[in-house]
Amino acid sequence: MRNVIISLCAVIFGLLGGAILMAATGHQPFEGYRYLFEGGLKNASRFGDTLATGTPLIFTGLSVAFAFRTGLFNIGAAGQMLFGGFCASAVGLNIDTSRPLLLLLMIIAAILGGAVWAFIPGLLKARFNVHEVVSTIMMNWVAYWTIYYAVPAYLKAEQIETESRSLADKATLRAPFLSDLFGGSYVNLGLFLAVIVVIIIAFIINKTTLGYELKAVGFNRHSAEYAGIGVNRSIITSMLISGALAGLGGLAQYAGNGNNIQIGILPTQGYDGIAVALLGANSPIGVLLSALFFGLLYSGRGFMNAMTEIPPEIADSIIAIIIYFAATSVLMDKLITRFLSKRKEAAANSAVSGKEKV
């Protein structure tokens, strides 16, 4: 409950900060927020686009949150997402089989691609105590340049060298019934996959021995080792699962929201996943709600900019303020604790004064 209050406070403070920025630049905050939320919720089509925009963020947010819960800071979700999406696209472009089997193979390829890309930082952390922040950032750029050269060499489009060939409809997550249901939006089967993965990760973290061991290593590595838990194995396992989740984000982005990969672009969803995890308090359900909220902000800022003179960077500033307050959750927790203690003290004093009067 306390984490929910902290997250809500972070959102409220972020919106207040955005309102102050709008007012300071000579714009109407109420008008800005009206169009911002209308841009993501005005009709079924825009709501569907919000869900689609938030889908890759669910996976990258889960990736970062899972690593956080096990004592690791995975900043490599962008590279893992990119490489996982590349592996899935390679399967989709080169294997000709029935759609259900093809999508299953693409899901497996995305999981393996993301996991492989996270394995190296996990191994370096476990064997040589190399900090995962450094190694995962480096792996992001290794992924960037690997895809930069691999796409033109193996998956190049016929006339455009800066992107891969487009996936056939059967090799994408698009579903006509979903698109029709949401007024022609680009919402796709990735959303259902994301919800399933959220449930699986919540079960692993809270209900399994594996989840207990991984969290124990995250809380105190030395105590976990003393209790007989394989610390090095747990670190590598945690990074593999975290990378696999980010790889699924690549599938959702490149075979769901889009149908090809463009070179020279490191997906921002990987870094945004850090914000999603912080706002979601590293909880799978919290990450799901947080990702959809960020999807709303991202899909609505263009409409706000089109209908007003408010620059879309205001929406980015709102997100940054929310991240700041979510990241300072310890300070906010102290403020909430102080506020609640003062209320209890005031209630106790009033009760005592009431008895004295009697």
Side-chain angles (χ1 to χ4, degrees):
M1 184 62 184
R2 188 178 293 271
N3 288 334
V4 173
I5 295 174
I6 291 173
S7 296
L8 289 176
C9 288
V11 171
I12 292 170
F13 289 145
L15 295 177
L16 287 175
I20 293 172
L21 285 175
M22 291 182 199
T25 54
H27 301 101
Q28 293 293 331
F30 290 106
E31 183 183 29
Y33 280 128
R34 172 193 165 194
Y35 288 117
L36 178 67
F37 287 103
E38 279 188 5
L41 303 171
K42 185 176 182 180
N43 51 44
S45 176
R46 292 188 178 278
F47 181 61
D49 290 344
T50 293
L51 295 176
T53 302
T55 298
L57 293 174
I58 297 174
F59 290 111
T60 57
L62 278 177
S63 173
V64 176
F66 188 87
F68 273 149
R69 292 290 293 271
T70 57
L72 299 171
F73 193 5
N74 179 18
I75 306 186
Q80 295 149 17
M81 174 182 175
L82 183 59
F83 193 73
F86 171 77
C87 292
S89 297
V91 170
L93 290 170
N94 292 291
I95 295 180
D96 186 15
T97 184
S98 62
R99 191 184 188 209
L101 179 57
L102 181 59
L103 291 180
L104 178 60
L105 292 174
M106 291 176 67
I107 291 172
I108 294 173
I111 290 173
L112 292 177
V116 165
W117 218 251
F119 172 74
I120 296 175
L123 180 64
L124 292 174
K125 173 72 172 181
R127 295 296 299 274
F128 306 105
N129 201 29
V130 176
H131 203 290
E132 67 277 9
V133 169
V134 176
S135 57
T136 51
I137 289 176
M138 293 177 66
M139 289 300 291
N140 280 342
W141 292 105
V142 175
Y144 174 91
W145 289 110
T146 299
I147 304 308
Y148 191 93
Y149 289 104
V151 166
Y154 302 106
L155 305 179
K156 181 173 70 73
E158 293 182 1
Q159 297 180 348
I160 304 176
E161 293 197 8
T162 58
E163 62 184 41
S164 67
R165 301 192 303 274
S166 296
L167 292 167
D169 287 341
K170 71 174 185 177
T172 68
L173 297 174
R174 296 174 182 171
F177 79 92
L178 268 179
S179 183
D180 294 340
L181 181 64
F182 287 93
S185 75
Y186 57 94
V187 64
N188 54 76
L189 297 174
L191 178 64
F192 292 103
L193 180 62
V195 173
I196 292 171
V197 171
V198 165
I199 295 172
I200 292 173
I201 294 300
F203 179 78
I204 290 175
I205 291 177
N206 299 315
K207 301 294 183 181
T208 66
T209 302
L210 173 64
Y212 173 80
E213 290 180 351
L214 294 178
K215 287 188 294 184
V217 173
F219 284 130
N220 192 313
R221 177 173 179 171
H222 300 293
S223 296
E225 189 173 16
Y226 182 77
I229 297 174
V231 171
N232 290 343
R233 184 189 69 245
S234 296
I235 290 173
I236 294 175
T237 301
S238 175
M239 286 301 296
L240 286 174
I241 295 174
S242 179
L245 292 170
L248 287 174
L251 173 71
Q253 179 64 26
Y254 300 118
N257 295 353
N259 63 352
N260 64 2
I261 295 180
Q262 296 180 338
I263 66 172
I265 299 175
L266 194 63
T268 59
Q269 291 91 342
Y271 294 107
D272 293 339
I274 300 172
V276 170
L278 287 172
L279 185 60
N282 299 322
S283 160
I285 300 301
V287 165
L288 173 65
L289 298 176
S290 175
L292 295 180
F293 176 70
F294 277 90
L296 169 62
L297 294 180
Y298 285 135
S299 60
R301 64 182 177 179
F303 187 72
M304 179 184 70
N305 181 239
M307 300 301 294
T308 69
E309 295 183 355
I310 300 174
E313 288 77 15
I314 292 291
D316 296 331
S317 299
I318 295 170
I319 294 171
I321 297 170
I322 291 173
I323 295 170
Y324 174 80
F325 282 107
T328 56
S329 57
V330 175
L331 176 61
M332 294 182 65
D333 186 53
K334 289 182 178 179
L335 292 175
I336 293 171
T337 301
R338 182 177 297 179
F339 173 76
L340 293 176
S341 63
K342 284 185 177 180
R343 286 193 60 184
K344 289 181 180 178
E345 185 179 346
N349 290 336
S350 63
V352 170
S353 61
K355 288 181 179 179
E356 292 177 350
K357 290 180 179 179
V358 173

